[in-house]
Amino acid sequence: VGVPATLSIVDTDDHGPVIAIRTLEMNDPSNSAAKDAINNYLTTGKPWWEDPIIKDKAPSKVIPFYMVDKVASGWSMTNDSTAGGVKLYSTASSKGFLSGLGPELLRFDTLGGGGNTLRDSPKPDEPNKYSDKIIVQLKSLVDWNRRRMARGIKHGTMGVAPKSTSPGYVAMT
């Protein structure tokens, strides 16, 4: 069961670019702003995600781009049996042949429903015309952030420190 939400890409001082998630909690009886935004949408057609009360509230969750390793869609034969959606994964804990994907950071459907493809390629019967565009944009942002971090490490504006929980390094600003 999903919750309507907006995703924004924001550049922060602490973590660099992040995905800020603002949810619309409609089932919370004390949240009159959400109910007003929905009623306004139903009566006037003004999108609830443009309502200033929803748009300006603090994010419910923030995911730094440096945590995202893979952007995928559809379903996976090894990780889950659910169909649809755009999925963000972190790095797998091992680097072996069968290591697969890391833990799922976020799964969401775009307006109109989720993707239902086996691979990341477009499929004619996909119910959502926006998911492929969003996947391409997110992959581009993840790749851009990796290049930005590598350039920062190379030029000495960003350092690296050993990870405490697993082998490898983590970037430090």
Side-chain angles (χ1 to χ4, degrees):
V1 176
V3 175
T6 61
L7 303 178
S8 304
I9 308 302
V10 181
D11 195 11
T12 65
D13 291 332
D14 293 337
H15 299 288
V18 299
I19 301 171
I21 303 162
R22 290 175 177 79
T23 59
L24 180 65
E25 299 290 343
M26 297 181 300
N27 295 333
D28 183 2
S30 64
N31 191 355
S32 63
K35 290 179 182 169
D36 292 343
I38 292 294
N39 287 335
N40 195 17
Y41 175 68
L42 294 174
T43 57
T44 66
K46 180 183 176 191
W48 62 264
W49 54 90
E50 291 179 0
D51 190 299
I53 294 172
I54 305 299
K55 194 175 180 180
D56 297 335
K57 81 175 200 169
S60 307
K61 186 169 184 101
V62 174
I63 300 174
F65 263 99
Y66 62 77
M67 291 181 67
V68 179
D69 183 56
K70 174 130 177 88
V71 180
S73 69
W75 58 276
S76 166
M77 293 186 293
T78 57
N79 284 356
D80 63 56
S81 60
T82 60
V86 177
K87 301 170 188 177
L88 304 179
Y89 295 97
S90 67
T91 305
S93 57
S94 67
K95 294 290 184 188
F97 173 69
L98 296 174
S99 63
L101 300 170
E104 187 175 288
L105 298 171
L106 178 67
R107 176 188 308 210
F108 63 93
D109 290 329
T110 57
L111 292 175
N116 194 15
T117 61
L118 176 59
R119 293 172 283 143
D120 290 343
S121 62
K123 189 175 180 183
D125 63 344
E126 184 177 356
N128 185 349
K129 63 182 179 180
Y130 301 113
S131 65
D132 288 327
K133 291 178 182 179
I134 290 173
I135 289 167
V136 168
Q137 290 174 346
L138 285 172
K139 284 182 176 181
S140 296
L141 285 168
V142 168
D143 290 341
W144 166 82
N145 192 51
R146 285 183 186 145
R147 290 189 308 273
R148 180 189 69 83
M149 290 174 66
R151 194 171 37 253
I153 292 168
K154 181 179 179 181
H155 295 293
T157 58
M158 185 178 290
V160 292
K163 288 183 181 178
S164 61
T165 58
S166 65
Y169 293 89
V170 62
M172 306 293 288
T173 56

